[in-house]
Amino acid sequence: MAESQGYRVLWYTEWLSSQEAHIHAIKRIIFDGYTKYQRVTLAETGSFGLTLFLDGYAQSSEYDEFVYHEALVHPAMLTHPKPEKVLIIGGGEGATLREVLKHPTVKRAVMVDIDGELLEIVKKYMVKWHQNCFNDPRAEVVVADGKKYLEETSETFDVIILDLTDPTKGTPGVQLYTKEFYEEIYDKLSKDGVMVTQATSTRYNIDAFSVINNTVASVFPVERPYKAHVATFYSEWGFALGSKSRDPLGIPRNELSERLGRLGLKFLDEEIFYHLFHFPRYLKEKMQ
Amino acid sequence: MAESQGYRVLWYTEWLSSQEAHIHAIKRIIFDGYTKYQRVTLAETGSFGLTLFLDGYAQSSEYDEFVYHEALVHPAMLTHPKPEKVLIIGGGEGATLREVLKHPTVKRAVMVDIDGELLEIVKKYMVKWHQNCFNDPRAEVVVADGKKYLEETSETFDVIILDLTDPTKGTPGVQLYTKEFYEEIYDKLSKDGVMVTQATSTRYNIDAFSVINNTVASVFPVERPYKAHVATFYSEWGFALGSKSRDPLGIPRNELSERLGRLGLKFLDEEIFYHLFHFPRYLKEKMQ
Amino acid sequence: MAESQGYRVLWYTEWLSSQEAHIHAIKRIIFDGYTKYQRVTLAETGSFGLTLFLDGYAQSSEYDEFVYHEALVHPAMLTHPKPEKVLIIGGGEGATLREVLKHPTVKRAVMVDIDGELLEIVKKYMVKWHQNCFNDPRAEVVVADGKKYLEETSETFDVIILDLTDPTKGTPGVQLYTKEFYEEIYDKLSKDGVMVTQATSTRYNIDAFSVINNTVASVFPVERPYKAHVATFYSEWGFALGSKSRDPLGIPRNELSERLGRLGLKFLDEEIFYHLFHFPRYLKEKMQ
Amino acid sequence: MAESQGYRVLWYTEWLSSQEAHIHAIKRIIFDGYTKYQRVTLAETGSFGLTLFLDGYAQSSEYDEFVYHEALVHPAMLTHPKPEKVLIIGGGEGATLREVLKHPTVKRAVMVDIDGELLEIVKKYMVKWHQNCFNDPRAEVVVADGKKYLEETSETFDVIILDLTDPTKGTPGVQLYTKEFYEEIYDKLSKDGVMVTQATSTRYNIDAFSVINNTVASVFPVERPYKAHVATFYSEWGFALGSKSRDPLGIPRNELSERLGRLGLKFLDEEIFYHLFHFPRYLKEKMQ
């Protein structure tokens, strides 16, 4: 079997529900094993290139990791008038940190991920994602429990970004989707502080998406659900943004245009920025 | 095995490429067989409800057939100032005809599908799609080869809609994606005539999507590629619109608002209408 | 998609465990639906021809249904010196009855299956299996609960054959694998009576295979576990035979030879007859 | 995802034909990569334990590798009255060598495998298979092309065992299934020499099985097809034995009994030995 053909023997199966799955032919396993926290599979897929899977689900792929990461990071960063101190919880691939550091106002970006073994794999094999941003002098990478870190820190941040795996029952990440945790975040945000969290698929988990947004809305005066189509997730992916003061839809148009333009993005632009927050009627009816 | 559980035994597999597939548990086969033209499988899926598959691919599902059909039909219909005569080629489910007939200006809508056996199945089992629109006095359903019908008719139409299966090598549908066919369409369109065709997935067939749009653009003075996220297709779905005179992005705003508002749609609204035509930078770079 | 190729879209999945499955491309669904008792799927598979699946598992296929049915029926029939009255419980396909009727001594064969809807499907579509044996004047087909039938009948039988689906928790068939039921069978067997039951796969359910054999052995003075390789089941299939007096391994050689020779079988012969009862050391160690 | 559950995400797919496959959940990939000759995947499966896959197919598994290896090695070894010099071509797992060395008459066993990278993986991870037999003073392991080795050697052997991957078009192994190669083997066998080759599945490749046996029969005066049920291959596996003088079915019964008894096997015994060579009528009809 030449490497170039015939590798349809090893398949990664993402169970979108018990009744539906998406399957990828794996050309080559780069890494497959269990860290203390999760099964980590880094593989070259047939269609999406290098892809990181955690516990059964693609986290991001070479094909469009920037879509997810741009959509996660920049709406929150732009909602804050001048983000200088940023905290990322999760975000093991390093791409969230990479996007944060594109903002010239940032002076300090702390990334806290619980899985040190995963970080070593990422550093070694996923340079396309992190692009060595871990070495940026403004960056600090901490291996720790994000919740505990936040509770114990005396720092405040302008923007806090939650880049986590989905809230699956029985996994430790669940506590990072609670009202208590969002209140802790509120407390550790500075005056115009903004938070954002990934909020699962609007197709496959519309209920979880609604609940997460409602929970953020119960803590923050300004709250906006939004979504972006991410091919690697076969659906539109949801997010929840909470802000202490400014509404993302209220950013002065020229400020948005100028700040966005400077970032050199591949997915997000002004037109798309507004569209992220617009839901078709049939989805609005499904969100409660 | 109770009907409510345990039906994870029969799976429909859509091969998005030789390296990737999407699989659906089938709760119940309503119909599975070969017509003269294609394999028709109508089935209750685990996640998308009743779904029609032709030759290996979902054509539309209960979950969001309206997204695809609204996105296919209304941009072309609205681009024409006053569509009275409409021709649909393909569109076996009847949902394209249903959407066309929502426009109060329409006086005559002809639907030409080659597969009479499929039409019988649709009439019997897919009422949710066609909603008996076949009986609308303005509608005429013809079982015939769409290309031949168009060549032989002496009528002209205001809007021609191509609702076809993908242009797969070796299938008869391929000739409905050629320059010659689009020229035939041009000739049979009235003065301000508009055509639209489905144009495959922007994720899985970006090259076919580009080619179809370029071919339409080589025939029509105004041409617009557009796309909409259709969950049943796991990606953003592409379309190609050709117009003899009016640009969809040049429709007077109040006309668009008024005509769209009257249709009572579940997916398409003004904001989304404009967004259909907007592509992120990374996709623009992939389109040639 | 021509019927002759390209039908790799609909797959039947047999879950041998939660960690292993065998999948079949389905060329055409003949029937798929739920009777009162089970999901019935009759389909043309790519590799095994016409195959009947009940509740997720192949029951038998055109390719080698005779292997299973010859192995189920004839060892018990031959163990009885002169079987005249035979009772089959289950056996919906009619092939067990067909094999029973090959024995010239048989005067009456009653087949009791609970699923009348299944029987109608079998009669209509599975002629290759039953070969119209339902019309044999010696045969009687009863739609009833086999356990109840046995309890209520005042008849006795020379051979009783249990051709059932596997004993899966929560299905009604489970009670047909109990000591109580085997005692009932013992009571309804004539003096030299013999019973046999299918006993699951020696590969995938070695524990169930052992338990069934031990249960039969707790009721009958003579008990023999045996197995045959059935390609449609991907493994060696197990059986349990209980006899009131004669041991299958004690049948006079010339009697065996003569009676077997008359049957015109495709799988079973003298050499294979003895080998059915012989287990390799590693399997013997797994059976307790 | 705990290691003990939930690993149903990575599946190995063995395509038995384009219409049928067997799939295994992979708990952990030990090695996956491409040597110069083949894709090597060593993995812990859900049902068969540690399993070696080459180019898409299981070669052997912890569950029953001894069945395949005992069936491959011992009939040929026993057919020779006193095997002292043995050549194995292929056999990378080392288990064929292990079985050969069980025969006390063996003075020298040469194993020639083309894939040195595979051998390194085997040595490191598959101790359960080779049980360090590579270090036996009677054993010599050569990394070379088996055909070339045989052509160039001036040695003769008493038994030659071909433990190869299947003869798939376009792979180098094909030439090890030709009449020319079997003639070369004949020439390098001593007076009472015996050869054996694996000969694919009697279920999935009955034609290849027949052809291989016929080819061996065209070179050797004594030829015997045989088969054994190997659970890891979901079917009965075929072999072809060629002998210069003694027929395996003509081994004196007491010699067979004594020599077999000494080996301490888990699968093969006297009863099974004879049964290997016996085919049911329906298979005999398929073999031409």
Side-chain angles (χ1 to χ4, degrees):
Chain A
M1 190 181 296
E3 186 168 356
S4 55
Q5 38 97 272
Y7 37 66
R8 302 174 65 224
V9 297
L10 197 56
W11 293 85
Y12 205 95
T13 302
E14 298 180 84
W15 294 99
L16 301 170
S17 77
S18 65
Q19 311 296 322
E20 192 185 352
H22 204 92
I23 65 175
H24 295 276
I26 298 299
K27 293 163 85 161
R28 186 190 284 269
I29 294 280
I30 311 301
F31 180 89
D32 178 51
Y34 298 78
T35 69
K36 199 174 151 194
Y37 299 100
Q38 49 204 339
R39 182 171 184 175
V40 176
T41 308
L42 182 62
E44 247 180 81
T45 64
S47 306
F48 285 89
L50 194 63
T51 303
L52 176 69
F53 298 93
L54 298 181
D55 275 358
Y57 297 96
Q59 301 303 302
S60 59
S61 82
E62 235 179 316
Y63 175 78
D64 69 354
E65 59 82 8
F66 58 87
V67 173
Y68 169 75
H69 289 110
E70 292 183 9
L72 172 67
V73 168
H74 301 303
M77 293 294 283
L78 294 165
T79 296
H80 192 282
K82 197 184 169 199
E84 293 184 345
K85 295 177 67 183
V86 179
L87 174 66
I88 298 159
I89 296 182
E93 295 110 312
T96 296
L97 180 60
R98 177 195 75 205
E99 293 299 318
V100 163
L101 293 169
K102 284 181 179 171
H103 289 261
T105 53
V106 171
K107 292 185 172 154
R108 168 162 163 76
V110 184
M111 167 181 157
V112 181
D113 197 297
I114 202 169
D115 196 339
E117 291 168 89
L118 172 62
L119 282 178
E120 291 313 306
I121 296 161
V122 165
K123 277 180 194 162
K124 190 161 172 194
Y125 297 113
M126 296 178 72
V127 182
K128 278 188 193 166
W129 272 250
H130 62 73
Q131 293 173 18
N132 296 311
C133 70
F134 297 130
N135 302 325
D136 189 295
R138 299 170 292 168
E140 181 188 357
V141 177
V142 182
V143 176
D145 175 326
K147 185 158 177 286
K148 228 174 139 197
Y149 181 90
L150 198 66
E151 285 164 5
E152 292 174 359
T153 186
S154 55
E155 267 191 288
T156 56
F157 297 92
D158 300 320
V159 175
I160 295 179
I161 297 170
L162 307 181
D163 186 8
L164 308 165
T165 51
D166 285 354
T168 307
K169 242 178 240 175
T171 66
V174 168
Q175 60 183 349
L176 305 184
Y177 289 90
T178 58
K179 189 176 180 192
E180 291 63 39
F181 186 57
Y182 297 148
E183 285 170 341
E184 187 68 43
I185 285 175
Y186 189 96
D187 289 348
K188 293 295 161 66
L189 280 171
S190 57
K191 192 165 119 328
D192 294 319
V194 183
M195 75 154 274
V196 68
T197 180
Q198 79 93 352
T200 82
S201 167
T202 63
R203 166 65 186 103
Y204 292 108
N205 288 294
I206 187 76
D207 291 344
F209 173 71
S210 299
V211 167
I212 295 169
N213 270 286
N214 291 340
T215 312
V216 173
S218 72
V219 174
F220 283 83
V222 176
E223 203 278 338
R224 290 279 178 193
Y226 68 96
K227 45 83 196 114
H229 171 67
V230 181
T232 297
F233 303 153
Y234 329 114
S235 66
E236 291 192 316
W237 204 255
F239 303 88
L241 183 152
S243 171
K244 283 190 165 179
S245 55
R246 191 151 77 159
D247 183 337
L249 296 180
I251 304 170
R253 191 80 190 227
N254 61 340
E255 178 192 331
L256 180 71
S257 177
E258 195 201 347
R259 288 175 64 190
L260 244 182
R262 239 192 265 128
L263 297 169
L265 304 181
K266 286 188 272 187
F267 165 65
L268 197 63
D269 60 25
E270 260 186 274
E271 160 78 30
I272 292 170
F273 179 86
Y274 291 112
H275 192 69
L276 294 180
F277 298 96
H278 183 82
F279 286 82
R281 194 183 121 202
Y282 82 100
L283 271 186
K284 261 184 273 184
E285 287 171 0
K286 287 179 195 287
M287 294 155 61
Q288 304 112 8
Chain B
M1 190 180 292
E3 188 170 352
S4 55
Q5 38 98 271
Y7 37 68
R8 302 175 64 223
V9 296
L10 196 57
W11 292 85
Y12 205 96
T13 303
E14 296 180 85
W15 293 99
L16 301 170
S17 76
S18 66
Q19 311 297 322
E20 191 184 353
H22 203 91
I23 64 174
H24 294 277
I26 299 299
K27 293 164 83 160
R28 184 192 286 266
I29 294 280
I30 310 299
F31 180 89
D32 178 51
Y34 299 79
T35 69
K36 198 173 152 195
Y37 299 99
Q38 50 204 340
R39 182 172 184 175
V40 176
T41 309
L42 181 63
E44 246 180 83
T45 65
S47 305
F48 285 89
L50 194 62
T51 303
L52 175 70
F53 299 93
L54 297 182
D55 275 358
Y57 298 96
Q59 300 303 302
S60 59
S61 81
E62 234 179 316
Y63 175 79
D64 69 356
E65 59 82 11
F66 59 85
V67 173
Y68 169 75
H69 289 110
E70 292 183 8
L72 172 67
V73 168
H74 300 303
M77 293 295 283
L78 295 166
T79 297
H80 193 284
K82 198 187 169 199
E84 294 184 345
K85 295 177 67 183
V86 180
L87 175 66
I88 298 158
I89 296 180
E93 294 110 313
T96 295
L97 179 61
R98 178 195 74 206
E99 293 299 318
V100 163
L101 292 170
K102 285 182 179 169
H103 289 261
T105 55
V106 171
K107 291 185 174 155
R108 171 164 159 77
V110 183
M111 166 181 160
V112 181
D113 197 298
I114 201 168
D115 197 340
E117 291 169 89
L118 172 61
L119 283 178
E120 291 313 307
I121 295 162
V122 164
K123 278 179 193 164
K124 190 162 170 193
Y125 298 113
M126 297 178 71
V127 181
K128 276 188 193 167
W129 274 251
H130 61 73
Q131 294 172 16
N132 296 311
C133 69
F134 296 131
N135 302 325
D136 188 296
R138 299 169 293 167
E140 182 187 358
V141 178
V142 182
V143 175
D145 176 325
K147 187 160 176 285
K148 225 172 142 202
Y149 180 91
L150 198 66
E151 283 162 7
E152 293 175 359
T153 186
S154 54
E155 268 190 285
T156 57
F157 297 92
D158 300 320
V159 175
I160 296 178
I161 298 170
L162 307 180
D163 185 9
L164 310 164
T165 52
D166 285 356
T168 306
K169 241 178 241 174
T171 64
V174 167
Q175 59 183 350
L176 305 184
Y177 289 90
T178 60
K179 189 175 179 193
E180 291 63 39
F181 186 57
Y182 297 147
E183 285 169 343
E184 188 67 43
I185 285 174
Y186 189 96
D187 288 348
K188 294 293 161 68
L189 279 172
S190 57
K191 194 165 119 323
D192 293 319
V194 182
M195 74 154 274
V196 68
T197 180
Q198 77 93 352
T200 81
S201 166
T202 65
R203 165 65 185 102
Y204 292 107
N205 287 294
I206 186 77
D207 292 344
F209 173 71
S210 299
V211 167
I212 294 169
N213 272 285
N214 291 340
T215 311
V216 173
S218 72
V219 174
F220 284 82
V222 176
E223 204 277 338
R224 290 281 178 194
Y226 68 95
K227 47 81 198 117
H229 171 66
V230 181
T232 297
F233 303 154
Y234 329 115
S235 66
E236 291 192 318
W237 204 257
F239 303 88
L241 182 153
S243 170
K244 282 189 165 180
S245 55
R246 192 152 74 159
D247 184 338
L249 297 180
I251 303 170
R253 193 78 191 225
N254 61 341
E255 179 191 331
L256 180 70
S257 177
E258 195 200 346
R259 288 177 64 190
L260 245 182
R262 239 191 266 128
L263 298 169
L265 305 181
K266 287 188 270 186
F267 166 65
L268 196 64
D269 61 24
E270 261 186 275
E271 160 78 31
I272 292 170
F273 179 87
Y274 291 111
H275 192 69
L276 294 180
F277 298 95
H278 183 83
F279 285 82
R281 194 182 122 203
Y282 82 101
L283 270 187
K284 262 185 271 184
E285 287 171 0
K286 286 179 195 285
M287 293 155 61
Q288 303 114 10
Chain C
M1 188 181 294
E3 189 170 350
S4 54
Q5 37 98 270
Y7 37 64
R8 304 174 65 222
V9 297
L10 197 56
W11 294 85
Y12 205 95
T13 302
E14 296 181 84
W15 293 99
L16 301 170
S17 76
S18 66
Q19 311 295 322
E20 191 184 354
H22 204 91
I23 64 175
H24 295 277
I26 298 299
K27 292 162 85 161
R28 186 193 284 268
I29 294 279
I30 310 301
F31 179 88
D32 178 51
Y34 298 78
T35 69
K36 198 173 152 194
Y37 299 99
Q38 50 204 339
R39 181 172 184 174
V40 175
T41 308
L42 180 64
E44 247 180 82
T45 65
S47 306
F48 285 89
L50 194 62
T51 304
L52 175 70
F53 298 93
L54 297 182
D55 277 356
Y57 297 96
Q59 299 304 301
S60 60
S61 82
E62 234 178 316
Y63 175 78
D64 69 355
E65 59 82 8
F66 58 88
V67 173
Y68 169 75
H69 290 109
E70 292 182 9
L72 172 67
V73 168
H74 301 302
M77 294 293 284
L78 295 164
T79 297
H80 192 282
K82 196 184 169 202
E84 293 184 344
K85 294 176 69 185
V86 179
L87 174 67
I88 299 159
I89 296 181
E93 295 110 313
T96 296
L97 179 60
R98 178 195 74 206
E99 293 299 319
V100 164
L101 293 169
K102 284 182 180 171
H103 289 262
T105 54
V106 170
K107 293 185 174 155
R108 169 163 161 77
V110 183
M111 166 181 159
V112 181
D113 197 297
I114 202 169
D115 196 340
E117 292 169 87
L118 172 61
L119 282 177
E120 291 311 307
I121 296 161
V122 165
K123 280 180 192 165
K124 188 161 172 193
Y125 298 114
M126 297 178 72
V127 181
K128 277 188 195 169
W129 273 250
H130 60 74
Q131 294 172 19
N132 295 311
C133 69
F134 297 131
N135 301 325
D136 189 293
R138 298 171 291 167
E140 181 188 357
V141 178
V142 181
V143 176
D145 175 325
K147 187 159 175 287
K148 227 173 141 199
Y149 180 90
L150 198 65
E151 285 163 5
E152 294 176 359
T153 186
S154 54
E155 268 190 285
T156 57
F157 297 91
D158 300 319
V159 176
I160 295 178
I161 298 171
L162 307 181
D163 185 9
L164 309 165
T165 52
D166 285 356
T168 307
K169 241 179 240 173
T171 65
V174 168
Q175 60 184 351
L176 305 184
Y177 290 90
T178 58
K179 190 175 179 195
E180 290 64 38
F181 185 57
Y182 297 148
E183 286 170 343
E184 187 67 43
I185 286 175
Y186 189 95
D187 288 347
K188 296 293 161 68
L189 280 171
S190 56
K191 192 165 118 327
D192 293 319
V194 183
M195 74 153 274
V196 68
T197 179
Q198 77 95 353
T200 82
S201 167
T202 64
R203 165 65 185 102
Y204 292 109
N205 285 295
I206 187 75
D207 292 344
F209 173 71
S210 301
V211 167
I212 295 169
N213 272 285
N214 291 341
T215 311
V216 173
S218 72
V219 174
F220 284 82
V222 176
E223 203 278 336
R224 289 281 178 193
Y226 69 95
K227 48 81 198 112
H229 171 66
V230 181
T232 297
F233 303 154
Y234 331 114
S235 66
E236 292 192 314
W237 204 256
F239 302 88
L241 183 151
S243 170
K244 283 191 167 180
S245 55
R246 190 150 79 156
D247 184 338
L249 296 180
I251 304 171
R253 193 78 190 226
N254 61 340
E255 179 193 332
L256 180 70
S257 179
E258 196 200 343
R259 288 177 63 190
L260 244 182
R262 239 190 268 128
L263 298 170
L265 306 181
K266 288 188 270 187
F267 166 65
L268 196 64
D269 61 23
E270 260 185 275
E271 160 79 29
I272 291 171
F273 179 87
Y274 292 111
H275 192 69
L276 294 179
F277 299 95
H278 183 83
F279 286 82
R281 192 182 124 203
Y282 81 101
L283 271 186
K284 263 184 273 185
E285 287 171 0
K286 287 180 196 287
M287 292 154 62
Q288 304 113 9
Chain D
M1 192 180 296
E3 188 169 351
S4 56
Q5 39 99 269
Y7 38 64
R8 303 175 65 222
V9 298
L10 198 57
W11 293 84
Y12 204 94
T13 303
E14 296 180 86
W15 294 99
L16 301 170
S17 77
S18 65
Q19 311 296 320
E20 191 184 351
H22 204 91
I23 65 175
H24 294 276
I26 299 299
K27 292 162 85 161
R28 185 192 286 267
I29 293 280
I30 310 301
F31 179 88
D32 177 51
Y34 298 78
T35 70
K36 198 174 151 195
Y37 299 99
Q38 51 204 337
R39 181 171 184 173
V40 176
T41 308
L42 181 63
E44 245 180 83
T45 63
S47 306
F48 286 89
L50 194 62
T51 303
L52 175 69
F53 298 94
L54 298 182
D55 277 357
Y57 298 96
Q59 300 304 300
S60 59
S61 82
E62 235 179 316
Y63 175 78
D64 68 355
E65 60 80 10
F66 59 87
V67 174
Y68 169 75
H69 289 109
E70 292 183 9
L72 172 67
V73 167
H74 302 303
M77 293 295 283
L78 294 165
T79 297
H80 193 283
K82 195 186 170 202
E84 294 184 347
K85 295 178 66 183
V86 179
L87 175 65
I88 299 159
I89 297 181
E93 295 109 313
T96 296
L97 180 60
R98 178 196 73 206
E99 293 300 317
V100 163
L101 293 169
K102 286 182 179 170
H103 289 260
T105 54
V106 170
K107 293 186 171 153
R108 168 163 162 76
V110 183
M111 166 181 158
V112 181
D113 196 297
I114 202 169
D115 196 340
E117 292 169 88
L118 171 61
L119 283 177
E120 290 312 307
I121 295 161
V122 166
K123 279 180 193 164
K124 191 162 170 192
Y125 297 113
M126 295 177 72
V127 181
K128 278 188 194 167
W129 274 251
H130 61 71
Q131 294 173 17
N132 296 312
C133 69
F134 297 130
N135 302 326
D136 189 295
R138 299 170 292 166
E140 180 188 357
V141 178
V142 181
V143 176
D145 176 326
K147 187 161 176 286
K148 230 175 138 196
Y149 180 89
L150 197 66
E151 284 162 5
E152 293 175 359
T153 186
S154 55
E155 266 190 286
T156 56
F157 296 92
D158 301 320
V159 175
I160 296 180
I161 298 170
L162 307 181
D163 185 10
L164 309 165
T165 51
D166 285 355
T168 307
K169 241 177 241 174
T171 65
V174 168
Q175 60 182 350
L176 305 184
Y177 289 90
T178 59
K179 188 176 180 192
E180 291 63 40
F181 186 57
Y182 297 149
E183 286 170 343
E184 188 67 43
I185 284 174
Y186 189 97
D187 287 349
K188 296 293 161 67
L189 280 172
S190 57
K191 193 166 120 323
D192 293 319
V194 183
M195 74 154 274
V196 69
T197 179
Q198 77 96 349
T200 80
S201 167
T202 64
R203 164 67 185 104
Y204 293 108
N205 286 296
I206 186 77
D207 291 344
F209 173 70
S210 299
V211 167
I212 295 169
N213 272 286
N214 290 340
T215 311
V216 173
S218 72
V219 175
F220 284 83
V222 176
E223 203 277 337
R224 289 282 177 192
Y226 68 96
K227 44 86 197 109
H229 171 66
V230 181
T232 297
F233 303 154
Y234 330 115
S235 65
E236 292 192 317
W237 204 255
F239 303 89
L241 182 151
S243 170
K244 281 189 169 181
S245 55
R246 190 153 75 159
D247 184 338
L249 296 181
I251 305 171
R253 193 77 191 226
N254 62 341
E255 178 191 333
L256 181 70
S257 178
E258 194 201 345
R259 288 176 64 190
L260 244 182
R262 238 191 267 128
L263 297 170
L265 305 182
K266 286 187 271 186
F267 165 66
L268 197 63
D269 60 25
E270 260 185 275
E271 159 80 29
I272 292 171
F273 179 86
Y274 291 110
H275 192 70
L276 294 180
F277 298 95
H278 183 82
F279 286 81
R281 193 181 124 204
Y282 82 101
L283 270 186
K284 261 184 272 184
E285 287 172 359
K286 287 179 195 287
M287 293 155 62
Q288 303 113 10

